[in-house]
Amino acid sequence: MRAFQVFNAGKPAELTECPVPEPARGEIRVRIEACGLNFADLLMEQGKYQDTPEAPFILGMEVAGVVDSAGPDVSGPAVGTRVAVFGGQGGLAEYGCFPAARAVSLPDGMSAAEAAAFQIAYGTSHLALDHRARMQPGETLLVLGAAGGVGLTAVEVGKLMGARVIACARGADKLEAARQAGADHLIDASEDIRARVKDLGGADVVYDPVGGDQWQAAFRAARPEARLLPIGFASGEVPQIPANHLLVKNLSVLGVYWGGYLKFRPDVVTDSLRTLLGWYQEGRLRPHVSHTLPLAQAREGLDLLRTRKSTGKVVITP
């Protein structure tokens, strides 16, 4: 089979031929129809992600496809079932073996591309806003990087949860995508973010996958008792948090790593996905895939993330 594989940490992945894997105990093998790209794939390729596997490994954290084989001690899903799986690696290939316990059966009508774009982006946003921030209807949510893979879902989920949503992104096209996802107010990232947010009354919850200067601006525009959610650092700069400012304004900074819950509280992820899939079936969520590319163009897909030229998700179709 073909696979997009990292052989040495810190060096670019390569499209190679390798044997089709056999499922181990507790695993299913999936004929992969789509793999969603994430900024973490870039970090993993560089050896900078917190869960970077030992090389060699295949990039691609989340997939959708059809179960075509099962290892010992697997009671389901059955062969032939359409599933989405967060595997953490192994998705940029024609086949992959993943823990059966992580497989989620797909609702009727959900395409493989939508399913591959769904779990991490929507799961991160819902878990962050509901489980971590305990956001309430009527509160003001500021979303940075609001047209990116997770940012756009935060706008959508935040609006569904009853928040007033301020979306910050760079450029008219990205701001229009955020508006269509439900944002009430739009701020171009080239503007004075702090001043604009304060003019709108400040933020109760800040959702930040960007870091850097945007975090600093949002931090200073937060209301007393605001909750700030560092999701990632697409800017390349991990901001330092002044504890004295936390004290003065009674702020809370709540780290969010969706994949980490699979290790110590998988029920949180399961319950969240059940809610999200229910919203999808009700037509209340519309996964946004800006680019769908073949496996041979996986590098091009990663470059779209690196240069922030995509909106929503980039999906690779082996």
Side-chain angles (χ1 to χ4, degrees):
M1 70 173 188
R2 296 178 304 152
F4 198 59
Q5 200 161 7
V6 174
F7 290 98
N8 295 286
K11 293 188 177 181
E14 303 173 26
L15 187 61
T16 63
E17 294 278 343
C18 60
V20 174
E22 292 297 328
R25 187 175 302 277
E27 290 185 339
I28 54 172
R29 185 172 67 201
V30 177
R31 177 169 53 80
I32 298 170
E33 296 180 343
C35 176
L37 297 185
N38 294 275
F39 194 80
D41 289 308
L42 290 170
L43 298 177
M44 199 177 291
E45 185 179 40
Q46 298 164 12
K48 296 179 180 179
Y49 190 59
Q50 59 261 30
D51 278 343
T52 300
E54 186 175 341
F57 64 91
I58 297 169
L59 284 176
M61 303 177 74
E62 57 181 334
V63 304
V66 178
V67 178
D68 94 321
S69 182
D73 297 334
V74 172
S75 57
V79 171
T81 304
R82 297 178 64 244
V83 296
V85 187
F86 171 79
Q89 61 171 303
L92 287 174
E94 294 176 320
Y95 292 86
C97 293
F98 308 101
R102 294 188 182 182
V104 178
S105 297
L106 300 186
D108 292 340
M110 179 178 255
S111 70
E114 287 180 318
F118 195 86
Q119 287 192 89
I120 294 177
Y122 280 107
T124 295
S125 292
H126 184 254
L127 188 147
L129 298 177
D130 183 62
H131 181 73
R132 296 293 281 148
R134 307 292 183 187
M135 191 174 68
Q136 300 301 307
E139 290 192 305
T140 297
L141 166 66
L142 170 62
V143 180
L144 304 178
V150 291
L152 203 59
T153 64
V155 172
E156 201 173 359
V157 170
K159 193 64 181 174
L160 278 176
M161 291 178 64
R164 182 178 71 131
V165 180
I166 304 171
C168 179
R170 192 173 299 275
D173 290 346
K174 291 187 175 183
L175 288 172
E176 175 59 20
R179 186 193 66 78
Q180 291 185 17
D184 299 289
H185 304 279
L186 305 174
I187 299 175
D188 194 286
S190 63
E191 299 180 64
D192 184 336
I193 296 172
R194 179 196 181 195
R196 286 292 314 280
V197 175
K198 288 182 75 70
D199 286 346
L200 291 168
D204 298 300
V205 178
V206 174
Y207 183 100
D208 179 21
V210 178
D213 291 342
Q214 291 191 36
W215 165 274
Q216 300 296 347
F219 188 95
R220 296 170 71 189
R223 289 175 175 170
E225 292 195 328
R227 289 87 74 205
L228 298 100
L229 301 158
I231 307 296
F233 312 105
S235 67
E237 181 183 343
V238 179
Q240 301 304 301
I241 299 169
N244 57 323
H245 291 192
L246 295 179
L247 180 153
V248 170
K249 294 177 74 175
N250 292 290
L251 302 177
S252 299
V253 177
L254 306 166
V256 181
Y257 172 35
W258 182 82
Y261 277 90
L262 292 168
K263 300 176 182 178
F264 69 94
R265 284 288 306 278
D267 59 299
V268 172
V269 173
T270 302
D271 291 345
S272 173
L273 285 175
R274 186 179 298 113
T275 296
L276 290 165
L277 287 170
W279 285 348
Y280 174 86
Q281 289 177 294
E282 293 168 4
R284 302 172 73 188
L285 296 177
R286 301 185 306 276
H288 181 83
V289 177
S290 65
H291 296 80
T292 303
L293 302 170
L295 187 58
Q297 293 178 249
R299 172 58 55 200
E300 181 180 328
L302 290 172
D303 285 343
L304 287 167
L305 297 189
R306 182 178 54 79
T307 58
R308 302 192 213 176
K309 291 182 178 178
S310 61
T311 58
K313 293 284 282 192
V314 176
V315 171
I316 303 299
T317 54

